Amino acid sequence: MHAGAPISSRMAAQPETSAPMTTPERYNPRASEPKWQRAWDEAKLFETDNADPRPRYYVLEMFPYPSGRIHIGHTRNYTMGDVVARHRRAMGYNVLHPMGWDAFGMPAENAAMQNKVHPRDWTYQNIDTMRAQLKLMGLSIDWSREFATCDIDYYHRQQMLFVDFLESGLVGRRVSKVNWDPVDQTVLANEQVIDGKGWRSGAEVEQRELAQWVFRITDFSQDLLDSIDNLEEWPDKVRLMQRNWIGRSEGLSIRWALTPETAPDGETELEVYTTRPDTLFGASFMAIAADHPLARKAAGSNPDLAAFCEKCRRMGTSVTALETAEKEGFDTGIRVRHPFGVAWDLPVYVANFVLMDYGTGAIFGCPSGDQRDLDFARKYGLPVVPVVLPPGADAASFAIGDEAWTGNGTMINSSFLDGLTPDTAFDAVADRLESVDFAGTPQGKRQVQFKLRDWGVSRQRYWGCPIPVIHCDNCGLVPVPKDQLPVTLPDDVSFDKPGNPLDHHPTWKHVDCPSCGNAARRETDTMDTFVDSSWYFARFTDPHAETPTDPNAANAWLPVDQYIGGIEHAILHLLYSRFFARAMSRTGHMAVDEPFKGLFTQGMVVHETYRAEDGGWLEPGQVRIEGHDANRKAFDAATGAPVTIGPLEKMSKSKRNTIGPEDITQSFGADTARWFMLSDSPPERDVEWTDSGAEGAHRFIQRVWRVVAGAAPMIVAGDPSDANGAFASMRKAAHKALKGVGEDFERLAFNKAIARIHELVNAIAPTIEKAVDGDNQADKAAAHEALSILVQIMAPIAPHLAEECWMALGHEDMVAQAPWPAFDAALVADDTIVLPVQINGKKRGEIEVARDAHKDSVEQSALALETVQRHLDGIAPKKVIVVPGRIVNIVA
RNA sequence: GCGGAUAUGGCGGAACUGGUAGACGCGCUGGAUUUAGGUUCCAGUGCCGCAAGGCGUGGGGGUUCGACUCCCUCUAUCCGCACCA
């Protein structure tokens, strides 16, 4: 990447004469950008006053994890928010646009182990580096509200929330499974389990059951689901993903009798949950989870089964691992009786795809109606009885091949259900089983089930928010009284020993019980880092409050008007935040149930990857590229050795394909980076960072400066209303762009705004030159007006350049303080429109007609076209379709 | 495996509610200016064809006067799956 030619700093000083346009010096971002950033700071333009009475607008981007260095992948997201913030500010809103750090988490502990750095030092150093990098971008952020979630001030308030939640019954204890590394003696995250082995030790991972803290998010399942309907400013795909995640289903729980001779001692029944009771007559086996009580009991007397269950457990705790593994089962030898007295008894298998966490941990398998069950049945030679006949199929010959039939149809082979639809069969089965007495209670029960599980927040790690609870042998679980908070993390910890440093710290966990005064132990689990990010948006509304929030401030600002972040957070982070808003409302910290009114999920910045012959990754700066397109070749810039150009990937430290903001600001400037990242690709899509694209953006920045600075000394503000001809057209172009760009910003269509600004500059540049060369005051006023509009609509994207241009045009104050101009409705409307004329759906010509022209006259002018006459060749058209204001189509 | 998305020139993409496919930018080609080069300016640029014209939005099928847009189906790529953040 090369910089523009060396540049001397340019400031005002232009000739005062009405000479032809001179060529101004190049715009120098290295001088201008720091200058304007200082000016904004000194004027405190972006510090938000909670007492400001104007209408409020809260724009927030998902805060970053301080991993080390910011790359422009991060900054695209912040630039989008910044454009919104600057635009809303110009529109007269009191804008809140804060920034902070999602600062707890595993990487800090990994760094501690690898590099012998304290997680706290590593984290705060990274924050300092990244803050400095971010500031280069000229973002309009209220830095006075900055915090990191690892600040004691922040996690102190998080502990207050935890205690409140605990006392309100929103927190529970539950035994759940964790990945246990027997060599490192530690709990592993799913990402630390690779092919069932610990990432560091390589040991086979075991499952362990631990008593864990959970937030009772499932208490809100129905509300979280129903309220999605009201999140109208969220992308539909995210709403759909949340609905699917919550996973409400209506089904039937059915208790099956075990045949006494096969049942383990004391067991008489197996309860399953099904959403397809209509397929009951197609059932050919039962499948239970390896951890199902029945499986455990059966395994007790069957070593082979016990080994199979153990194998299932070693797959780890992640659903992905369970469900992508090949379907396997093991016959327990247990048999069940069909509730409707079908002649055969069904086998009970332990299956590796049945989850203990969902429903009852047991299913009945109907191979003809479920692909997974069919695969399983084929593998173990179980019967496949079709029970739903697809529409149009022949009952006598219909058979299931390799594909199950999950669709609608008519019930067959199903006794009293035959001839019904699956829907009515569902009710028939449910009604009948609800009335059958089975050991004193109905054998079947209609049930609503959610896939959503309670949120386990316990982590056996150091670098997180300590859970403020004390275990006392006398009193049980005792929350730390609020006046004894915060429970701070000890500094003197070592990461040399395996396990949780809080647990093996010599003194930290030993405390007296706040209730009875006897010796007791602190909880050594810390909270999931998702907790930290589930309420930071509320803390920003008053980041220095003694309590977690000032409810007045939180209620005034929330919900966030526009939240911007990656699609990868579409489910968990957003769902947890929605839960927190409800929990905080219930505990009096605010009165807003939905945290985010508008949501936008932006794409990532991707870059090519480069690999040396030895397989090592190279940074873009270390690579020299030759040739174009298919002939592009890469070489190691230092050695000249050939380098393989790899696919586009999300910028990441590990692939070394990152571009830092300083790489750009030192050459092209922040405005170029901001401009480029919002050009071309729609914001929800990924954008590829390319040097040529950045150069193109930079050329445009320089072009605007040339046009504005070249004309500025020769034009002044005035009354442009008498401008004629090209000058009047220029005014129309400017006002249309003003209207369009404003709308684009509100829809976050930054790429379209940029295209529109390009079009405006292309359209007006020659006319500006004419106005400068001429001596008509109205024309010069029109030029001044057009350029001022251009600068203002660019300002949210390229704020530094805009300030420089604004000053050149002779405006007082800064463009960052200027109100958004109103467009002139009369200049935006056109009297005539161009209508395309099609013949048989193919465009053959166009006609210009009055905007409100009558259908008949439009039809006549279309038929009069020479091309139309030629195509019709004297034959009358079959039909003429005139869509007013849109199109004419002639069917020949 | 389940859930969600995406696919348009050489490249990134535009096309609002079914109505001119390729806006805008990159790249490329030619020309002008200046220079040692870059810069800047003008013109051209979906494909085939001298032209008339024909063909074109991942593949196949359908609905419609008209389909990038709606329906069915197939393929490829990406995101999430509860302890990565």
Side-chain angles (χ1 to χ4, degrees):
Chain A
M1 188 156 326
H2 55 86
I7 299 147
S8 63
S9 152
R10 180 228 95 95
M11 293 292 112
Q14 296 285 342
E16 292 296 320
T17 54
S18 164
M21 236 157 106
T22 53
T23 305
E25 291 183 62
R26 288 170 67 85
Y27 169 68
N28 180 5
R30 274 175 310 235
S32 283
E33 292 184 350
K35 180 182 74 180
W36 291 111
Q37 287 168 15
R38 267 197 308 277
W40 298 329
D41 272 355
E42 281 162 17
K44 295 193 187 298
L45 285 188
F46 310 133
E47 286 188 22
T48 306
D49 179 2
N50 278 355
D52 188 326
R54 292 176 303 164
R56 295 163 194 271
Y57 195 90
Y58 186 177
V59 54
L60 181 67
E61 304 95 48
M62 291 179 186
F63 63 166
Y65 177 77
S67 56
R69 300 188 68 76
I70 286 272
H71 55 70
I72 47 169
H74 299 103
T75 61
R76 185 178 184 218
N77 176 359
Y78 311 135
T79 304
M80 290 177 190
D82 198 47
V83 173
V84 173
R86 286 176 181 272
H87 179 229
R88 291 283 170 174
R89 227 176 259 118
M91 284 164 58
Y93 288 87
N94 179 26
V95 170
L96 176 57
H97 185 215
M99 180 59 70
W101 308 94
D102 189 12
F104 275 135
M106 284 201 312
E109 291 191 46
N110 293 336
M113 283 178 242
Q114 276 162 22
N115 310 326
K116 310 276 172 212
V117 213
H118 194 282
R120 192 196 50 229
D121 297 337
W122 183 84
T123 303
Y124 280 107
Q125 274 163 21
N126 286 348
I127 288 174
D128 286 342
T129 307
M130 292 168 75
R131 185 194 304 107
Q133 287 183 292
L134 261 189
K135 287 197 170 182
L136 293 173
M137 299 300 295
L139 302 168
S140 65
I141 285 169
D142 181 354
W143 287 103
S144 74
R145 294 182 187 237
E146 175 193 0
F147 59 77
T149 56
C150 63
D151 292 346
I152 293 172
D153 263 358
Y154 185 80
Y155 73 73
H156 176 184
R157 274 75 199 186
Q158 188 160 305
Q159 291 172 340
M160 294 165 98
L161 288 177
F162 186 94
V163 171
D164 285 346
F165 289 3
L166 186 61
E167 284 165 357
S168 302
L170 294 161
V171 180
R173 296 277 281 169
R174 188 149 308 167
V175 171
S176 62
K177 280 176 287 193
V178 295
N179 301 306
W180 179 257
D181 185 320
V183 171
D184 281 351
Q185 295 281 300
T186 188
V187 176
L188 298 178
N190 284 335
E191 71 159 10
Q192 296 173 315
V193 179
I194 295 157
D195 293 331
K197 299 191 172 60
W199 68 339
R200 265 191 244 281
S201 68
E204 280 225 3
V205 169
E206 298 169 5
Q207 284 191 10
R208 279 215 175 171
E209 298 204 314
L210 289 182
Q212 309 245 44
W213 293 96
V214 297
F215 285 147
R216 295 189 187 279
I217 190 172
T218 55
D219 288 359
F220 298 86
S221 299
Q222 191 66 53
D223 180 32
L224 286 168
L225 179 66
D226 293 342
S227 303
I228 292 172
D229 294 344
N230 304 325
L231 298 173
E232 285 163 14
E233 292 176 48
W234 283 35
D236 286 339
K237 63 177 169 181
V238 175
R239 298 208 279 174
L240 187 56
M241 285 159 89
Q242 293 232 337
R243 282 193 190 100
N244 289 338
W245 186 260
I246 294 168
R248 184 182 195 275
S249 64
E250 292 178 8
L252 191 68
S253 93
I254 305 172
R255 291 148 66 212
W256 301 60
L258 307 185
T259 63
E261 60 279 16
T262 64
D265 282 349
E267 299 291 333
T268 56
E269 62 178 78
L270 174 63
E271 185 176 7
V272 305
Y273 173 78
T274 178
T275 57
R276 293 294 306 272
D278 51 299
T279 64
L280 197 53
F281 286 94
S284 60
F285 65 95
M286 314 295 288
I288 62 177
D291 289 308
H292 194 278
L294 204 53
R296 287 179 185 262
K297 231 173 201 180
S301 58
N302 183 342
D304 290 341
L305 177 59
F308 179 77
C309 290
E310 197 43 50
K311 188 180 158 198
C312 291
R313 288 188 194 105
R314 273 199 301 274
M315 282 198 293
T317 59
S318 85
V319 177
T320 319
L322 288 174
E323 299 209 332
T324 51
E326 194 183 342
K327 310 286 163 281
E328 283 191 69
F330 195 98
D331 188 349
T332 59
I334 301 168
R335 296 292 177 270
V336 295
R337 296 243 157 90
H338 196 280
F340 292 133
V342 168
W344 67 90
D345 292 336
L346 286 77
V348 178
Y349 279 76
V350 170
N352 61 356
F353 57 88
V354 178
L355 303 170
M356 194 58 223
D357 290 320
Y358 184 62
T360 59
I363 60 159
F364 77 76
C366 171
S368 63
D370 182 284
Q371 192 59 44
R372 202 161 51 171
D373 294 349
L374 181 64
D375 294 343
F376 192 84
R378 295 285 187 230
K379 182 162 181 174
Y380 294 101
L382 298 161
V384 178
V385 181
V387 285
V388 180
L389 183 69
D394 172 42
S397 62
F398 179 67
I400 296 288
D402 293 335
E403 277 180 35
W405 176 252
T406 56
N408 223 325
T410 311
M411 304 308 301
I412 51 169
N413 300 325
S414 295
S415 172
F416 66 96
L417 303 176
D418 284 350
L420 300 179
T421 63
D423 277 355
T424 49
F426 182 118
D427 288 326
V429 169
D431 289 347
R432 207 180 268 214
L433 285 180
E434 279 181 334
S435 65
V436 171
D437 178 77
F438 185 89
T441 45
Q443 185 165 18
K445 201 178 146 215
R446 280 187 169 85
Q447 219 177 338
V448 170
Q449 187 81 42
F450 293 93
K451 266 203 309 239
L452 183 64
R453 310 201 299 251
D454 273 333
W455 172 15
V457 296
S458 283
R459 298 292 182 270
Q460 294 69 42
R461 285 187 241 290
Y462 167 75
W463 194 232
C465 172
I467 292 176
V469 174
I470 289 165
H471 298 258
C472 171
D473 291 336
N474 297 329
C475 312
L477 296 167
V478 183
V480 177
K482 280 202 182 158
D483 59 11
Q484 291 175 29
L485 293 176
V487 177
T488 55
L489 291 167
D491 287 337
D492 51 335
V493 285
S494 91
F495 292 89
D496 299 335
K497 266 193 269 181
N500 179 357
L502 290 181
D503 195 37
H504 58 57
H505 188 278
T507 56
W508 185 80
K509 69 177 173 185
H510 301 293
V511 287
D512 294 338
C513 171
S515 180
C516 70
N518 285 344
R521 298 166 314 282
R522 280 194 196 288
E523 171 64 65
T524 58
D525 285 352
T526 52
M527 290 183 217
D528 178 9
T529 55
F530 269 123
V531 178
D532 313 336
S533 55
S534 292
W535 71 286
Y536 76 112
F537 51 86
R539 184 69 183 166
F540 275 139
T541 64
D542 190 350
H544 308 297
E546 281 303 312
T547 45
T549 62
D550 168 358
N552 291 327
N555 294 341
W557 282 112
L558 294 173
V560 174
D561 292 282
Q562 186 63 64
Y563 194 37
I564 303 176
I567 185 71
E568 66 273 20
H569 294 293
I571 297 174
L572 292 179
H573 163 61
L574 293 172
L575 197 59
Y576 292 156
S577 298
R578 296 180 64 214
F579 161 75
F580 246 78
R582 284 161 174 75
M584 288 173 74
S585 292
R586 200 182 264 195
T587 49
H589 295 287
M590 56 194 220
V592 181
D593 276 359
E594 285 296 341
F596 311 118
K597 180 160 167 271
L599 173 70
F600 186 81
T601 55
Q602 98 284 359
M604 297 173 299
V605 179
V606 296
H607 196 281
E608 286 180 337
T609 47
Y610 306 105
R611 258 191 142 149
E613 282 173 315
D614 64 5
W617 302 100
L618 291 174
E619 289 170 18
Q622 300 173 297
V623 173
R624 177 168 46 87
I625 307 275
E626 290 176 7
H628 292 286
D629 303 323
N631 298 320
R632 288 176 83 239
K633 288 201 172 66
F635 302 92
D636 187 323
T639 65
V643 168
T644 311
I645 300 180
L648 298 173
E649 307 229 31
K650 177 181 175 175
M651 286 194 179
S652 75
K653 238 171 147 179
S654 58
K655 302 271 170 66
R656 304 188 76 179
N657 62 338
T658 58
I659 305 277
E662 60 285 334
D663 294 334
I664 310 307
T665 52
Q666 280 159 22
S667 50
F668 295 138
D671 285 341
T672 293
R674 295 168 61 114
W675 194 265
F676 173 72
M677 284 188 293
L678 299 184
S679 306
D680 294 359
S681 283
E684 66 275 13
R685 223 158 332 147
D686 291 351
V687 63
E688 183 195 353
W689 182 273
T690 60
D691 287 354
S692 58
E695 282 160 20
H698 187 65
R699 269 204 295 278
F700 185 73
I701 295 287
Q702 291 293 354
R703 181 172 180 211
V704 169
W705 173 248
R706 261 195 319 280
V707 171
V708 173
M714 268 69 72
I715 58 175
V716 284
D719 179 6
S721 51
D722 286 340
N724 287 314
F727 303 101
S729 304
M730 172 170 68
R731 295 195 66 207
K732 285 181 88 94
H735 281 261
K736 280 182 183 171
L738 171 58
K739 176 173 187 280
V741 168
E743 289 164 359
D744 290 338
F745 284 162
E746 287 187 35
R747 287 182 297 160
L748 309 183
F750 308 111
N751 57 323
K752 289 176 204 167
I754 285 177
R756 222 184 276 276
I757 292 168
H758 275 289
E759 281 173 342
L760 177 63
V761 173
N762 289 343
I764 68 174
T767 317
I768 296 282
E769 245 177 283
K770 265 188 235 156
V772 165
D773 294 342
D775 51 14
N776 181 310
Q777 287 313 303
D779 294 347
K780 285 180 185 273
H784 192 273
E785 178 198 42
L787 290 180
S788 295
I789 287 174
L790 169 67
V791 169
Q792 278 202 275
I793 61 181
M794 285 183 74
I797 307 177
H800 311 87
L801 170 76
E803 294 292 2
E804 208 65 61
C805 290
W806 195 245
M807 189 173 78
L809 285 167
H811 292 281
E812 291 173 11
D813 284 346
M814 291 184 271
V815 69
Q817 296 164 294
W820 193 255
F823 63 84
D824 183 336
L827 291 172
V828 164
D830 287 315
D831 298 335
T832 62
I833 50 172
V834 175
L835 277 190
V837 177
Q838 296 181 330
I839 295 167
N840 295 330
K842 275 259 168 213
K843 186 195 165 193
R844 295 297 172 183
E846 51 190 32
I847 50 176
E848 188 172 357
V849 296
R851 188 153 44 103
D852 49 2
H854 191 268
K855 261 186 158 184
D856 296 342
S857 74
V858 171
E859 182 172 336
Q860 273 180 16
S861 354
L863 288 172
L865 274 183
E866 198 207 305
T867 32
V868 172
Q869 290 299 322
R870 196 172 64 231
H871 272 90
L872 287 176
D873 199 22
I875 303 158
K878 286 201 191 101
K879 197 172 174 187
V880 180
I881 294 147
V882 179
V883 184
R886 283 285 189 189
I887 206 163
V888 181
N889 190 14
I890 296 162
V891 185

